[in-house]
Amino acid sequence: MFSALGRFVVGHRWLVIISWLIAGAAVIATAPALTTTSDQAEFLPKQYESIQAQKIQQEAFPKGFSPSAIVVFTRKDGEPLQKADSARVAKIGESLKAEKYDKVEEVITAPPSPHKKVQTVLVSMADVKAGDKSRQHTVEDMRDDLKSLVKDSGLKTGVTGDAATQLDAEEAAKRADSLIFLGTIVLIIVLLTIIFRSPTITILTIVGITLVSQVANGLIAISAKAFHLKADSSVSSLLIVVLFGVGTDYILFLMFRYRERLRCGEDPKTAMATAVGRVGEAIASAAGAVIVCFLALLLSSLSFLTSMGPALAIAIAVTLLACLTLIPALVSLMGTKVFWPSKAWRHEPRAARFGAIGRGVARRPGLFVVGSGLLMVALAVGALGYQPVFAPEEKMDASNESSVATHDMREDLPAGSTNPSTVLMRSTNGEKLGQRELKTYIGDLKKVEGVGSVTRSQLSKDGRTAEFSVVLTADPAGNKAMDIVRGPLRTTAHEAAPPGTETKVGGVTSVFVDIGKAVNRDFSVVFPTAAALIMLILAFLLRSLIAPVYLMVSVALGFGATLGATVLLFQNIRGEAGLTFFLPVIMYLFVVAIGTDYNILMVARLREEAKEGLGPREATAKSIQHAGPTIAAAGVILAGTFASMTLANDVTLAQTGFAVAFGIVIASFVMAMFFTPALTTLFGRAAWWPRRIGPRVPPQGGPYQEERQPVPADGHGGYAPHRSGDRRD
């Protein structure tokens, strides 16, 4: 099939190129803007308590006061606020109220903090649909006006709260995307130029993937709108590294084989058609493994993962299609000029290092299995200390106004004051809630360890629903606050409720608690499903029932080693509270799926050499010598593109970038280079069971000399001996 595809693409290259340009222009022109959301509550299904509390709140208090922005006032000299300062704050609050900002419903000036270090103005805004930026624009206008309102007053001000935090997060994400994009492009330019010594291939790769990325983003936006998918703001950064990293890898797979066929004497058109036929199945299988892994996220209970999965799957599918059609068409059109100005493509390098590695693994496969296996097991031990966090540890960033304002608030207010938990009590017998019972209930909530204060913030008009604001002493996004909500707060809120009522605990901390439950559920569903689908792809590619099993064992060890190394770096060495809660899912998908790519490339080459008649040890030596440079180059480029995510001043992106980059290094330089070929050598021909692959019998009927060095000569799979010293890479 892939041989036929290669011949068609090369024979109709202008048709392929023009079709891509027309289809790409149509998609880009008609695609809507991709909207994102950072509201964690939107990611949970309705059966969780935090979402049920939110629903009760919306029904009972449709116009209830909930601050979307908090204006924080402190003195510049750090001294307590004086009466004149508080009067000035109240006046500023009235000025903000009089401005009639878009979406602002109410402005309330709160009293000074207990030690008069801080005073706040609370701003309530109307709810908006996903993608509506009006609340962020209001925060921008408010910040501009506050500069003149506090001028020469001795006061320092800053705006925080959900709307301000989202505005600052989006601006930080834009800066991060720019840094990641720049870092990725620079890395690809440098590495491709070193590998091929040709700026032409580098430009072709970047231009081709840029077109692919625009088409992929357009298709993702169209799909998101058609199927009402919600995308987390982090998906844009992932798309950059996935498209450029994986796309470059696939182009490398193709170009290495194309160069190999040219060195065998084939003309450029025949060489490209043969290259697609030879490596197309491996690329398609590798992409298929990644795609099914991402689509397994559709089984997740978190909507941002169910949206991320199809988005990344679309990106990989478009990249695969381009690498098997558009890139071959362009390269066959350019011929050997694609390597300009280098002429190194004409000569066979000795590949001495990879040849030595291949011979070493072939001679002592057991030693390499044990050595590489123990390395991965030792690193995996670190995974036992894994701690999830549901919001990055907040560190004051002078360039982030909401971060500075939040830090100032916590100087004299409980940590939970930025995002209080809410307890909703609703009558279930139709009776109104009694004042005495409500007062007693507040007293019970105050007794919970970790609760700083409790107030009844609202009572519905019909008297049947009450809302209580619970300020925790711990950071509302931290593990300590989650333990309080998960344990004593929810237990007390439910058990202390008067007869004939029901209670639900809501708020940001409660949302994080429920996200934790959802993630644990997803671990038990998504992981095994993705593994089973990958095994099916491997079984289909290799026509074997044995090889897929130990390949998945290899990938599982790689995953454990990656998680362990990430825990050791970020939790033990850098002292962070934990890893982003969804990081194991992302790691599993990328390390398992992309790690399988390199295993597929190596095992496909092992099978190819075995089919040509080489014994297990000789096939291993040849496969590492020939496929090793490709895997090493691809691993360095892909790991480097993910490592570029650490350039962003964002803990989540840094953890994700390091984890996936490290996992790719393990996959390419430990699993695919040593563990997998060594295991295949030990299994011998049994690795391909139930398919029988035996040594080739020469036509003369004489014994086959396994040490002879075959080289492709006719472009149709035939091999012929070559002169001593010649090598393929």
Side-chain angles (χ1 to χ4, degrees):
M1 179 178 75
F2 290 98
S3 296
L5 175 62
R7 291 192 296 271
F8 175 84
V9 169
V10 171
H12 303 84
R13 50 192 180 278
W14 278 113
L15 175 63
V16 172
I17 294 170
I18 293 172
S19 297
W20 261 98
L21 292 175
I22 293 174
V27 170
I28 295 169
T30 58
L34 181 62
T35 60
T36 62
T37 178
S38 59
D39 184 356
Q40 303 286 1
E42 293 187 25
F43 301 145
L44 281 168
K46 297 178 181 179
Q47 69 264 28
Y48 288 97
E49 181 171 346
S50 58
I51 305 304
Q52 294 172 355
Q54 187 182 72
K55 183 179 179 182
I56 293 173
Q57 186 180 43
Q58 291 172 346
E59 291 175 351
F61 311 105
K63 295 185 178 180
F65 183 86
S66 179
S68 304
I70 303 173
V71 186
V72 181
F73 294 88
T74 58
R75 284 184 60 92
K76 290 182 179 179
D77 57 13
E79 294 297 318
L81 296 168
Q82 304 299 317
K83 288 185 178 180
D85 296 324
S86 293
R88 183 67 177 265
V89 170
K91 185 177 180 180
I92 292 174
E94 291 300 319
S95 298
L96 295 177
K97 189 174 183 178
E99 281 294 330
K100 302 294 183 183
Y101 295 105
D102 186 27
K103 302 300 179 182
V104 170
E105 295 180 333
E106 193 170 358
V107 178
I108 296 177
T109 301
S113 61
H115 299 94
K116 300 187 183 301
K117 290 277 189 179
V118 180
Q119 191 167 0
T120 59
V121 173
L122 309 178
V123 181
S124 174
M125 299 184 191
D127 292 333
V128 294
K129 296 181 179 179
D132 189 333
K133 305 294 183 183
S134 55
R135 300 209 306 184
Q136 287 94 307
H137 295 327
T138 294
V139 171
E140 290 177 319
D141 295 340
M142 197 175 293
R143 284 174 171 174
D144 289 338
D145 293 340
L146 282 167
K147 291 176 183 177
S148 60
L149 291 173
V150 298
K151 188 177 181 181
D152 300 327
S153 67
L155 295 175
K156 183 179 72 170
T157 185
V159 183
T160 185
D162 289 343
T165 300
Q166 188 170 8
L167 170 65
D168 293 340
E170 289 179 358
E171 291 179 349
K174 290 177 182 177
R175 293 194 296 270
D177 286 352
S178 299
L179 280 173
I180 291 169
F181 179 76
L182 180 62
T184 299
I185 294 299
V186 169
L187 182 72
I188 290 174
I189 290 173
V190 171
L191 292 178
L192 283 181
T193 303
I194 291 173
I195 292 168
F196 291 104
R197 304 173 194 173
S198 167
T200 311
I201 292 180
T202 303
I203 294 171
L204 172 67
T205 300
I206 292 174
V207 171
I209 297 177
T210 299
L211 172 62
V212 169
S213 68
Q214 295 301 309
V215 174
N217 282 324
L219 290 175
I220 291 168
I222 291 171
S223 300
K225 183 177 181 180
F227 298 103
H228 307 289
L229 300 176
K230 298 171 184 174
D232 178 58
S233 54
S234 63
V235 75
S236 58
S237 299
L238 282 175
L239 279 173
I240 292 173
V241 294
V242 166
L243 286 164
F244 280 89
V246 175
T248 302
D249 266 13
Y250 293 166
I251 292 174
L252 271 179
F253 295 168
L254 182 69
M255 293 304 297
F256 267 82
R257 188 58 71 100
Y258 173 61
R259 188 174 64 179
E260 178 181 316
R261 302 309 301 176
L262 287 173
R263 287 170 176 169
C264 293
E266 294 182 355
D267 65 89
K269 294 179 183 178
T270 304
M272 180 50 69
T274 307
V276 174
R278 288 289 183 92
V279 81
E281 185 177 23
I283 293 177
S285 299
V290 179
I291 289 170
V292 298
C293 260
F294 290 154
L295 290 180
L297 287 177
L298 289 170
L299 300 175
S300 171
S301 56
L302 295 173
S303 64
F304 87 95
L305 288 178
T306 59
S307 299
M308 180 188 293
L312 295 175
I314 290 171
I316 294 295
V318 176
T319 302
L320 170 64
L321 184 62
C323 290
L324 293 182
T325 57
L326 177 62
I327 300 301
L330 290 170
V331 173
S332 65
L333 189 66
M334 299 172 70
T336 57
K337 292 179 182 178
V338 75
F339 297 106
W340 183 88
S342 173
K343 300 187 184 301
W345 64 270
R346 297 177 178 178
H347 310 291
E348 292 283 353
R350 295 192 60 85
R353 293 180 182 177
F354 290 98
I357 292 172
R359 291 190 296 273
V361 174
R363 280 197 301 266
R364 298 180 179 178
L367 177 64
F368 282 93
V369 168
V370 173
S372 56
L374 285 177
L375 172 64
M376 291 188 285
V377 169
L379 288 172
V381 172
L384 298 176
Y386 165 68
Q387 287 290 336
V389 294
F390 294 82
E393 185 177 351
E394 292 193 16
K395 298 178 182 179
M396 193 180 72
D397 180 0
S399 64
N400 187 315
E401 183 173 325
S402 59
S403 173
V404 175
T406 298
H407 180 269
D408 290 342
M409 277 185 68
R410 291 180 179 174
E411 289 294 314
D412 200 29
L413 289 170
S417 58
T418 54
N419 272 305
S421 294
T422 56
V423 178
L424 279 299
M425 178 188 291
R426 182 168 60 180
S427 171
T428 57
N429 58 12
E431 300 293 330
K432 292 184 178 181
L433 301 174
Q435 294 298 322
R436 181 178 299 178
E437 293 173 327
L438 295 178
K439 187 175 181 180
T440 302
Y441 188 69
I442 290 175
D444 291 332
L445 293 178
K446 286 182 177 180
K447 295 177 184 177
V448 175
E449 185 177 357
V451 170
S453 65
V454 181
T455 56
R456 195 190 76 196
S457 52
Q458 297 181 85
L459 184 67
S460 62
K461 292 181 179 180
D462 61 7
R464 295 190 178 95
T465 305
E467 180 187 70
F468 304 89
S469 178
V470 181
V471 177
L472 305 178
T473 56
D475 179 358
N479 286 332
K480 187 175 180 180
M482 290 176 60
D483 290 338
I484 295 169
V485 170
R486 184 188 298 110
L489 181 57
R490 280 189 173 178
T491 300
T492 302
H494 298 157
E495 294 179 354
T501 64
E502 66 169 353
T503 55
K504 302 291 180 183
V505 179
V508 170
T509 309
S510 186
V511 168
F512 288 147
V513 169
D514 291 338
I515 287 178
K517 290 181 180 179
V519 169
N520 290 335
R521 176 262 176 199
D522 289 350
F523 286 167
S524 64
V525 175
V526 175
F527 283 19
T529 301
L533 291 173
I534 289 177
M535 286 189 69
L536 287 175
I537 289 176
L538 289 171
F540 180 79
L541 169 68
L542 303 174
R543 280 62 161 185
S544 166
L545 298 179
I546 302 298
V549 175
Y550 66 76
L551 288 178
M552 290 309 299
V553 170
S554 168
V555 171
L557 285 174
F559 170 77
T562 303
L563 180 58
T566 308
V567 169
L568 290 173
L569 175 62
F570 287 95
Q571 293 183 203
N572 297 353
I573 297 176
R574 297 186 58 174
E576 295 181 4
L579 304 182
T580 302
F581 70 95
F582 61 81
L583 185 59
V585 177
I586 299 299
M587 278 175 45
Y588 183 82
L589 295 174
F590 280 101
V591 174
V592 170
I594 297 177
T596 303
D597 280 10
Y598 301 130
N599 270 340
I600 285 175
L601 193 68
M602 179 59 74
V603 175
R605 190 73 188 225
L606 284 164
R607 188 189 65 167
E608 183 178 325
E609 298 292 354
K611 287 170 66 177
E612 293 300 329
L614 295 183
R617 293 178 185 271
E618 291 75 16
T620 295
K622 287 296 177 186
S623 296
I624 294 176
Q625 179 184 349
H626 299 155
T630 308
I631 292 173
V636 168
I637 287 179
L638 190 57
T641 55
F642 275 98
S644 68
M645 295 175 69
T646 61
L647 296 173
N649 186 25
D650 183 283
V651 174
T652 298
L653 290 178
Q655 291 180 356
T656 302
F658 170 81
V660 178
F662 187 87
I664 290 167
V665 169
I666 289 290
S668 54
F669 291 98
V670 179
M671 293 192 311
M673 202 74 69
F674 298 108
F675 191 78
T676 296
L679 261 181
T680 305
T681 304
L682 291 177
F683 274 99
R685 295 187 177 91
W688 316 115
W689 185 87
R691 189 173 184 178
R692 294 184 179 181
I693 298 179
R696 184 177 57 183
V697 179
Q700 299 92 331
Y704 178 73
Q705 302 297 320
E706 291 189 326
E707 66 271 12
R708 68 190 286 195
Q709 299 183 31
V711 70
D714 58 4
H716 302 287
Y719 282 75
H722 60 75
R723 296 185 304 275
S724 176
D726 285 348
R727 295 289 188 272
R728 291 176 293 164
D729 64 3

PDB file of all heavy atoms in Angstrom, residues 444-462:
ATOM      1  N   ASP A 444     -20.736  25.207  64.255  1.00  0.00           N
ATOM      2  CA  ASP A 444     -20.143  23.893  63.969  1.00  0.00           C
ATOM      3  C   ASP A 444     -19.048  23.996  62.907  1.00  0.00           C
ATOM      4  O   ASP A 444     -17.999  23.345  63.011  1.00  0.00           O
ATOM      5  CB  ASP A 444     -21.227  22.919  63.493  1.00  0.00           C
ATOM      6  CG  ASP A 444     -22.205  22.555  64.600  1.00  0.00           C
ATOM      7  OD1 ASP A 444     -21.801  22.595  65.780  1.00  0.00           O
ATOM      8  OD2 ASP A 444     -23.369  22.238  64.284  1.00  0.00           O
ATOM      9  N   LEU A 445     -19.282  24.804  61.875  1.00  0.00           N
ATOM     10  CA  LEU A 445     -18.278  24.963  60.823  1.00  0.00           C
ATOM     11  C   LEU A 445     -17.021  25.659  61.350  1.00  0.00           C
ATOM     12  O   LEU A 445     -15.903  25.327  60.937  1.00  0.00           O
ATOM     13  CB  LEU A 445     -18.854  25.753  59.647  1.00  0.00           C
ATOM     14  CG  LEU A 445     -19.972  25.095  58.831  1.00  0.00           C
ATOM     15  CD1 LEU A 445     -20.453  26.031  57.734  1.00  0.00           C
ATOM     16  CD2 LEU A 445     -19.499  23.780  58.220  1.00  0.00           C
ATOM     17  N   LYS A 446     -17.199  26.605  62.274  1.00  0.00           N
ATOM     18  CA  LYS A 446     -16.042  27.320  62.826  1.00  0.00           C
ATOM     19  C   LYS A 446     -15.127  26.403  63.628  1.00  0.00           C
ATOM     20  O   LYS A 446     -13.939  26.681  63.776  1.00  0.00           O
ATOM     21  CB  LYS A 446     -16.515  28.477  63.709  1.00  0.00           C
ATOM     22  CG  LYS A 446     -17.060  29.668  62.944  1.00  0.00           C
ATOM     23  CD  LYS A 446     -17.462  30.787  63.891  1.00  0.00           C
ATOM     24  CE  LYS A 446     -17.943  32.011  63.121  1.00  0.00           C
ATOM     25  NZ  LYS A 446     -18.346  33.114  64.043  1.00  0.00           N
ATOM     26  N   LYS A 447     -15.688  25.308  64.153  1.00  0.00           N
ATOM     27  CA  LYS A 447     -14.888  24.384  64.964  1.00  0.00           C
ATOM     28  C   LYS A 447     -13.974  23.495  64.121  1.00  0.00           C
ATOM     29  O   LYS A 447     -13.093  22.824  64.657  1.00  0.00           O
ATOM     30  CB  LYS A 447     -15.820  23.493  65.794  1.00  0.00           C
ATOM     31  CG  LYS A 447     -16.631  24.246  66.840  1.00  0.00           C
ATOM     32  CD  LYS A 447     -17.585  23.299  67.556  1.00  0.00           C
ATOM     33  CE  LYS A 447     -18.471  24.052  68.534  1.00  0.00           C
ATOM     34  NZ  LYS A 447     -19.448  23.138  69.185  1.00  0.00           N
ATOM     35  N   VAL A 448     -14.180  23.479  62.805  1.00  0.00           N
ATOM     36  CA  VAL A 448     -13.363  22.631  61.933  1.00  0.00           C
ATOM     37  C   VAL A 448     -11.936  23.160  61.908  1.00  0.00           C
ATOM     38  O   VAL A 448     -11.697  24.346  61.670  1.00  0.00           O
ATOM     39  CB  VAL A 448     -13.941  22.598  60.501  1.00  0.00           C
ATOM     40  CG1 VAL A 448     -13.014  21.819  59.574  1.00  0.00           C
ATOM     41  CG2 VAL A 448     -15.325  21.974  60.506  1.00  0.00           C
ATOM     42  N   GLU A 449     -10.985  22.278  62.164  1.00  0.00           N
ATOM     43  CA  GLU A 449      -9.586  22.673  62.149  1.00  0.00           C
ATOM     44  C   GLU A 449      -9.179  23.093  60.735  1.00  0.00           C
ATOM     45  O   GLU A 449      -9.435  22.386  59.770  1.00  0.00           O
ATOM     46  CB  GLU A 449      -8.710  21.511  62.601  1.00  0.00           C
ATOM     47  CG  GLU A 449      -7.241  21.874  62.736  1.00  0.00           C
ATOM     48  CD  GLU A 449      -6.404  20.732  63.265  1.00  0.00           C
ATOM     49  OE1 GLU A 449      -6.987  19.672  63.577  1.00  0.00           O
ATOM     50  OE2 GLU A 449      -5.169  20.895  63.364  1.00  0.00           O
ATOM     51  N   GLY A 450      -8.570  24.268  60.631  1.00  0.00           N
ATOM     52  CA  GLY A 450      -8.164  24.789  59.336  1.00  0.00           C
ATOM     53  C   GLY A 450      -9.112  25.842  58.796  1.00  0.00           C
ATOM     54  O   GLY A 450      -8.829  26.438  57.763  1.00  0.00           O
ATOM     55  N   VAL A 451     -10.223  26.066  59.483  1.00  0.00           N
ATOM     56  CA  VAL A 451     -11.182  27.103  59.077  1.00  0.00           C
ATOM     57  C   VAL A 451     -10.865  28.382  59.839  1.00  0.00           C
ATOM     58  O   VAL A 451     -10.801  28.383  61.071  1.00  0.00           O
ATOM     59  CB  VAL A 451     -12.631  26.658  59.348  1.00  0.00           C
ATOM     60  CG1 VAL A 451     -13.600  27.828  59.148  1.00  0.00           C
ATOM     61  CG2 VAL A 451     -13.000  25.509  58.419  1.00  0.00           C
ATOM     62  N   GLY A 452     -10.641  29.480  59.103  1.00  0.00           N
ATOM     63  CA  GLY A 452     -10.318  30.751  59.730  1.00  0.00           C
ATOM     64  C   GLY A 452     -11.544  31.532  60.156  1.00  0.00           C
ATOM     65  O   GLY A 452     -11.594  32.086  61.255  1.00  0.00           O
ATOM     66  N   SER A 453     -12.546  31.577  59.291  1.00  0.00           N
ATOM     67  CA  SER A 453     -13.776  32.314  59.615  1.00  0.00           C
ATOM     68  C   SER A 453     -14.931  31.769  58.794  1.00  0.00           C
ATOM     69  O   SER A 453     -14.722  31.186  57.726  1.00  0.00           O
ATOM     70  CB  SER A 453     -13.604  33.809  59.336  1.00  0.00           C
ATOM     71  OG  SER A 453     -13.410  34.039  57.950  1.00  0.00           O
ATOM     72  N   VAL A 454     -16.160  31.963  59.338  1.00  0.00           N
ATOM     73  CA  VAL A 454     -17.373  31.525  58.646  1.00  0.00           C
ATOM     74  C   VAL A 454     -18.410  32.627  58.773  1.00  0.00           C
ATOM     75  O   VAL A 454     -18.654  33.138  59.877  1.00  0.00           O
ATOM     76  CB  VAL A 454     -17.934  30.219  59.242  1.00  0.00           C
ATOM     77  CG1 VAL A 454     -19.177  29.786  58.466  1.00  0.00           C
ATOM     78  CG2 VAL A 454     -16.885  29.110  59.226  1.00  0.00           C
ATOM     79  N   THR A 455     -18.992  33.010  57.661  1.00  0.00           N
ATOM     80  CA  THR A 455     -20.090  33.984  57.688  1.00  0.00           C
ATOM     81  C   THR A 455     -21.202  33.505  56.765  1.00  0.00           C
ATOM     82  O   THR A 455     -20.941  32.812  55.778  1.00  0.00           O
ATOM     83  CB  THR A 455     -19.620  35.374  57.206  1.00  0.00           C
ATOM     84  OG1 THR A 455     -19.054  35.256  55.897  1.00  0.00           O
ATOM     85  CG2 THR A 455     -18.584  35.953  58.158  1.00  0.00           C
ATOM     86  N   ARG A 456     -22.436  33.852  57.157  1.00  0.00           N
ATOM     87  CA  ARG A 456     -23.543  33.568  56.246  1.00  0.00           C
ATOM     88  C   ARG A 456     -23.639  34.738  55.293  1.00  0.00           C
ATOM     89  O   ARG A 456     -24.006  35.842  55.666  1.00  0.00           O
ATOM     90  CB  ARG A 456     -24.854  33.403  57.021  1.00  0.00           C
ATOM     91  CG  ARG A 456     -25.962  32.762  56.176  1.00  0.00           C
ATOM     92  CD  ARG A 456     -27.296  32.827  56.870  1.00  0.00           C
ATOM     93  NE  ARG A 456     -27.864  34.172  56.783  1.00  0.00           N
ATOM     94  CZ  ARG A 456     -28.855  34.629  57.532  1.00  0.00           C
ATOM     95  NH1 ARG A 456     -29.373  33.860  58.459  1.00  0.00           N
ATOM     96  NH2 ARG A 456     -29.311  35.854  57.384  1.00  0.00           N
ATOM     97  N   SER A 457     -23.291  34.493  54.026  1.00  0.00           N
ATOM     98  CA  SER A 457     -23.204  35.590  53.067  1.00  0.00           C
ATOM     99  C   SER A 457     -24.545  35.912  52.425  1.00  0.00           C
ATOM    100  O   SER A 457     -24.807  37.071  52.090  1.00  0.00           O
ATOM    101  CB  SER A 457     -22.169  35.258  51.986  1.00  0.00           C
ATOM    102  OG  SER A 457     -22.427  33.999  51.415  1.00  0.00           O
ATOM    103  N   GLN A 458     -25.413  34.906  52.255  1.00  0.00           N
ATOM    104  CA  GLN A 458     -26.684  35.159  51.563  1.00  0.00           C
ATOM    105  C   GLN A 458     -27.768  34.204  52.057  1.00  0.00           C
ATOM    106  O   GLN A 458     -27.481  33.082  52.478  1.00  0.00           O
ATOM    107  CB  GLN A 458     -26.517  34.957  50.044  1.00  0.00           C
ATOM    108  CG  GLN A 458     -25.544  35.908  49.372  1.00  0.00           C
ATOM    109  CD  GLN A 458     -25.447  35.666  47.887  1.00  0.00           C
ATOM    110  OE1 GLN A 458     -26.247  36.184  47.101  1.00  0.00           O
ATOM    111  NE2 GLN A 458     -24.483  34.873  47.477  1.00  0.00           N
ATOM    112  N   LEU A 459     -29.015  34.669  51.967  1.00  0.00           N
ATOM    113  CA  LEU A 459     -30.193  33.832  52.199  1.00  0.00           C
ATOM    114  C   LEU A 459     -31.157  34.109  51.059  1.00  0.00           C
ATOM    115  O   LEU A 459     -31.422  35.262  50.724  1.00  0.00           O
ATOM    116  CB  LEU A 459     -30.849  34.169  53.538  1.00  0.00           C
ATOM    117  CG  LEU A 459     -32.051  33.295  53.936  1.00  0.00           C
ATOM    118  CD1 LEU A 459     -31.602  31.862  54.221  1.00  0.00           C
ATOM    119  CD2 LEU A 459     -32.745  33.878  55.173  1.00  0.00           C
ATOM    120  N   SER A 460     -31.628  33.046  50.425  1.00  0.00           N
ATOM    121  CA  SER A 460     -32.490  33.230  49.256  1.00  0.00           C
ATOM    122  C   SER A 460     -33.796  33.915  49.634  1.00  0.00           C
ATOM    123  O   SER A 460     -34.205  33.933  50.803  1.00  0.00           O
ATOM    124  CB  SER A 460     -32.788  31.871  48.609  1.00  0.00           C
ATOM    125  OG  SER A 460     -33.484  31.031  49.515  1.00  0.00           O
ATOM    126  N   LYS A 461     -34.457  34.478  48.639  1.00  0.00           N
ATOM    127  CA  LYS A 461     -35.702  35.214  48.889  1.00  0.00           C
ATOM    128  C   LYS A 461     -36.782  34.350  49.515  1.00  0.00           C
ATOM    129  O   LYS A 461     -37.577  34.817  50.330  1.00  0.00           O
ATOM    130  CB  LYS A 461     -36.211  35.817  47.579  1.00  0.00           C
ATOM    131  CG  LYS A 461     -35.329  36.934  47.034  1.00  0.00           C
ATOM    132  CD  LYS A 461     -35.909  37.512  45.754  1.00  0.00           C
ATOM    133  CE  LYS A 461     -35.040  38.644  45.217  1.00  0.00           C
ATOM    134  NZ  LYS A 461     -35.587  39.224  43.956  1.00  0.00           N
ATOM    135  N   ASP A 462     -36.826  33.068  49.138  1.00  0.00           N
ATOM    136  CA  ASP A 462     -37.850  32.201  49.708  1.00  0.00           C
ATOM    137  C   ASP A 462     -37.424  31.604  51.050  1.00  0.00           C
ATOM    138  O   ASP A 462     -38.189  30.855  51.679  1.00  0.00           O
ATOM    139  CB  ASP A 462     -38.204  31.066  48.730  1.00  0.00           C
ATOM    140  CG  ASP A 462     -37.008  30.179  48.400  1.00  0.00           C
ATOM    141  OD1 ASP A 462     -35.944  30.337  49.018  1.00  0.00           O
ATOM    142  OD2 ASP A 462     -37.147  29.318  47.505  1.00  0.00           O
TER     143      ASP A 462
END
